[in-house]
């Protein structure tokens, strides 16, 4: 049995075959080193637990699901996450790839904002449901002088098509729940006051299916092998991330309030104003 109390940034509970994971990393739920480490550890532990059939991810903060990768993370801090990475993926892509290949059904309950790496986490899950009026998704990397490096170029191209993926990646806009649903980025936009009940009902329904049904469905519909595409994405990201202009934009963004609650509420606007 896993020791869920050992996590600093995750709250974990179980109910009838469903594991509920609540991300809790104040002030804005940054996808930092600790969160990534704990998510990968949790997913690894659950992968071999046949009593868990569904994993639901939510947030302790109704305003922010996952903000984005922590822009202050250093190579030294990220180094432990690089140990044992799957071939052809970087430390950020590894989180999404582990989620995509999880044997359980994975569901994101998106009540608030998800930017950058947070939005990549959403699209890597098997399903995602977004609250109307409060949820938002955005890939902001182009506004910082880079491209996504955590799987978005591949996941979005597969999920919503190349043309819309280019709009998302290059436009840098925040997408509301209804638009995300129309594009296919999330399964469904749900009234905010119904989101919790809807997702829990669906998760418990799936978890109660007869033995073998979930495994058979996931075997019949496996995640596509994106190794070559992820390598291309990593090469494109690595070719931009160390440029002086990128460091200047990230530094200016942090100085202007990125990674604070006020700044994260309009992160796209913050970077457009730089």
């Amino acid at each position: 049995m896993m020791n869920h109390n050992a996590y600093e940034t995750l709250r974990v509970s179980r109910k009838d075959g469903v594991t509920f994971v609540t991300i809790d990393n104040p002030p804005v739920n940054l996808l930092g080193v600790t969160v990534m480490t704990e998510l990968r550890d949790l997913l690894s532990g659950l992968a071999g637990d046949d009593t868990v059939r569904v994993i639901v991810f939510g947030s302790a903060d109704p305003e922010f699901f996952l903000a984005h990768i922590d822009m202050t993370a250093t190579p030294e801090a990220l180094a432990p996450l690089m140990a044992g990475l799957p071939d052809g993926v970087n430390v950020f892509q590894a989180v999404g790839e582990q989620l995509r290949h999880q044997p359980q059904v994975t569901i994101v309950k998106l009540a608030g904002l998800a930017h950058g790496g947070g939005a990549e986490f959403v699209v890597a899950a098997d399903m995602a449901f977004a609250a109307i009026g409060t949820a938002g998704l955005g890939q902001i990397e182009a506004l910082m002088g880079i491209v996504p490096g955590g799987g978005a170029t591949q996941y979005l191209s597969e999920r919503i098509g190349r043309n819309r993926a280019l709009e998302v990646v290059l436009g840098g806009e925040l997408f509301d729940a209804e638009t995300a649903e129309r594009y296919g980025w999330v399964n469904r936009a749900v009234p905010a006051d119904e989101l919790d009940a809807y997702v829990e009902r669906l998760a418990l329904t799936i978890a109660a299916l007869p033995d073998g049904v979930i495994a058979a469905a996931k075997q019949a519909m496996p995640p596509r092998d994106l190794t070559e595409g992820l390598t291309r994405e990593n090469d494109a990201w690595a070719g931009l991330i160390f440029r002086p202009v990128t460091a200047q934009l990230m530094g200016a963004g942090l100085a202007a309030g990125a990674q604070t609650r006020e700044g994260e509420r309009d992160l796209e606007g913050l970077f457009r104003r730089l």
Side-chain angles (χ1 to χ4, degrees):
M1 182 70 67
M2 299 173 62
N3 180 13
H4 298 318
N5 294 326
Y7 296 121
E8 296 178 28
T9 64
L10 306 177
R11 302 181 196 168
V12 184
S13 62
R14 294 192 181 199
K15 179 180 178 181
D16 298 335
V18 180
T19 290
F20 294 90
V21 182
T22 302
I23 302 166
D24 187 8
N25 187 34
V28 293
N29 271 1
L30 284 175
L31 188 57
V33 172
T34 301
V35 174
M36 288 190 285
T37 300
E38 294 186 346
L39 282 170
R40 295 201 62 196
D41 179 74
L42 177 69
L43 291 172
S44 295
L46 292 176
D49 189 343
D50 59 9
T51 68
V52 177
R53 294 182 165 192
V54 182
I55 309 171
V56 175
F57 296 92
S59 172
D61 189 328
E63 193 170 1
F64 300 101
F65 174 71
L66 272 177
H68 47 76
I69 298 294
D70 184 357
M71 288 186 282
T72 67
T74 64
E76 292 76 19
L78 291 168
L81 278 168
M82 299 176 65
L85 285 182
D87 291 339
V89 303
N90 66 36
V91 65
F92 308 116
Q93 294 167 339
V95 178
E97 283 301 278
Q98 189 168 0
L99 187 61
R100 286 180 72 239
H101 290 88
Q102 193 73 13
Q104 290 91 0
V105 173
T106 56
I107 302 175
V108 165
K109 182 177 62 176
L110 184 67
L113 301 178
H115 287 114
E120 289 170 314
F121 187 90
V122 172
V123 77
D126 291 327
M127 308 176 197
F129 300 89
I132 295 171
T134 63
L137 287 159
Q139 297 295 157
I140 58 166
E141 291 87 351
L143 303 178
M144 301 159 60
I146 57 175
V147 294
T153 63
Q154 305 305 301
Y155 303 158
L156 286 172
S157 294
E158 182 178 41
R159 183 73 62 89
I160 69 177
R162 178 178 180 272
N163 58 334
R164 282 177 165 167
L166 283 169
E167 176 191 354
V168 170
V169 169
L170 296 178
E173 295 184 357
L174 186 71
F175 285 70
D176 60 31
E178 292 103 328
T179 306
E181 177 195 60
R182 189 167 66 250
Y183 275 34
W185 198 340
V186 300
N187 290 65
R188 186 178 299 194
V190 180
D193 61 354
E194 300 175 14
L195 181 65
D196 288 346
Y198 180 85
V199 171
E200 180 168 339
R201 183 170 64 250
L202 175 64
L204 291 171
T205 296
I206 294 172
L209 292 171
D211 288 345
V213 174
I214 293 172
K218 296 200 79 169
Q219 181 180 5
M221 296 178 281
R224 190 161 61 89
D225 184 353
L226 299 175
T227 302
E228 291 185 6
L230 290 170
T231 299
R232 292 194 301 271
E233 177 186 82
N234 183 56
D235 290 344
W237 173 84
L240 298 172
I241 189 65
F242 298 112
R243 298 187 306 166
V245 65
T246 302
Q248 180 182 353
L249 285 168
M250 286 188 179
L254 288 167
Q259 306 195 169
T260 68
R261 294 188 69 85
E262 186 63 31
E264 293 290 331
R265 291 186 179 108
D266 182 25
L267 194 62
E268 293 81 5
L270 181 152
F271 275 100
R272 291 182 197 281
R273 292 190 291 271
L274 295 179

